[in-house]
Amino acid sequence: MLVDDVIALVPSIPGRRALLGLAGAPAAGKSTLAQRLVSGVNGRLGADTAAYVPMDGFHLSNAQLDRLELRGRKGAPETFDVDGYVHLLRRLRAIRERPVYAPGFDRRLDEPVAAALVVPATARLVVTEGNYLADDGAGWSEVRDLLDELWYVDTPRRLRERRLLHRHVGGGRSQDEAIAFIADSERPNARRAESGRAHCSRVISAERGA
């Protein structure tokens, strides 16, 4: 069971905190797995032992994407505030005596939401996930050094793209618009995410139970 492996990462010494990262292509199931792991740890070790902080809260706003003419590439590495994400990871490692607030992402609004999430001071483990945690690009390459472990979530392309189609149509795109966005943006993003797989210490099948 993966929960057993994650529990082994939880520091036994009060005041210590570990960070586990999950990398992988869009719609690989990273967020679902991360939340299941956090729930499993909290169920075994007590509420607020573990917390979940996704990278998605660091999407640039749609207004900024429009300014940069990047709306059509939303989800690409350059459409995130990587410096803000790295700063948050550093805060999570350094600040353990009070809560740390983090942005979330609202899929209905298709926008980041400030301070939507909180990591309580009692949290001894934070699970974070995102497409580019294993990336070598400017800024992103700093992420790996801030994590205790980094796992790659592997999911067949057909399943991922079926999830993406459902996600984008549910978000308001037409079927044709969603298919075009997957081809033009999501597939290149998936290839970029996959390029960092070798930097991960473990590969997890998304179909494997937590």
Side-chain angles (χ1 to χ4, degrees):
M1 296 285 283
L2 290 178
V3 170
D4 294 328
D5 297 337
V6 175
I7 285 175
L9 299 176
V10 178
S12 57
I13 302 173
R16 298 283 300 276
R17 177 177 290 154
L19 272 64
L20 168 64
L22 304 179
K30 301 181 297 297
S31 60
T32 299
L33 177 58
Q35 291 176 74
R36 288 171 64 189
L37 293 174
V38 167
S39 178
V41 171
N42 287 336
R44 298 262 290 275
L45 301 184
D48 294 335
T49 300
Y52 168 58
V53 177
M55 187 193 81
D56 273 0
F58 291 90
H59 271 285
L60 296 181
S61 69
N62 289 330
Q64 294 301 324
L65 294 177
D66 288 340
R67 180 183 65 84
L68 296 167
E69 299 183 349
L70 287 172
R71 179 79 79 102
R73 290 286 291 123
K74 189 167 188 171
E78 62 271 24
T79 66
F80 288 89
D81 174 17
V82 61
D83 294 327
Y85 179 60
V86 167
H87 181 65
L88 173 65
L89 296 180
R90 288 177 176 149
R91 288 176 62 212
L92 290 171
R93 297 206 72 92
I95 299 175
R96 293 182 291 273
E97 69 278 3
R98 62 183 185 275
V100 175
Y101 292 92
F105 188 80
D106 190 321
R107 291 198 182 278
R108 293 169 300 174
L109 297 175
D110 198 33
E111 291 275 17
V113 179
L117 305 172
V118 61
V119 176
T122 55
R124 289 181 284 146
L125 173 74
V126 174
V127 181
T128 185
E129 52 83 15
N131 297 347
Y132 309 115
L133 272 59
D135 197 82
D136 272 332
W140 297 107
S141 59
E142 299 179 44
V143 171
R144 296 195 299 273
D145 290 339
L146 295 168
L147 303 174
D148 292 272
E149 287 203 19
L150 177 56
W151 298 353
Y152 187 87
V153 181
D154 189 34
T155 306
R157 172 178 161 177
R158 183 172 297 181
L159 175 56
R160 288 191 290 99
E161 293 198 354
R162 187 161 65 240
R163 291 172 177 170
L164 288 168
L165 182 62
H166 182 265
R167 176 186 298 176
H168 292 310
V169 170
R173 287 186 169 94
S174 69
Q175 184 95 352
D176 288 344
E177 288 171 339
I179 290 171
F181 186 77
I182 290 169
D184 296 341
S185 184
E186 300 285 19
R187 283 179 191 160
N189 295 343
R191 289 193 293 271
R192 178 72 177 260
E194 289 163 356
S195 70
R197 177 174 173 149
H199 295 306
C200 299
S201 59
R202 184 171 180 178
V203 176
I204 303 295
S205 170
E207 298 174 356
R208 179 177 173 182

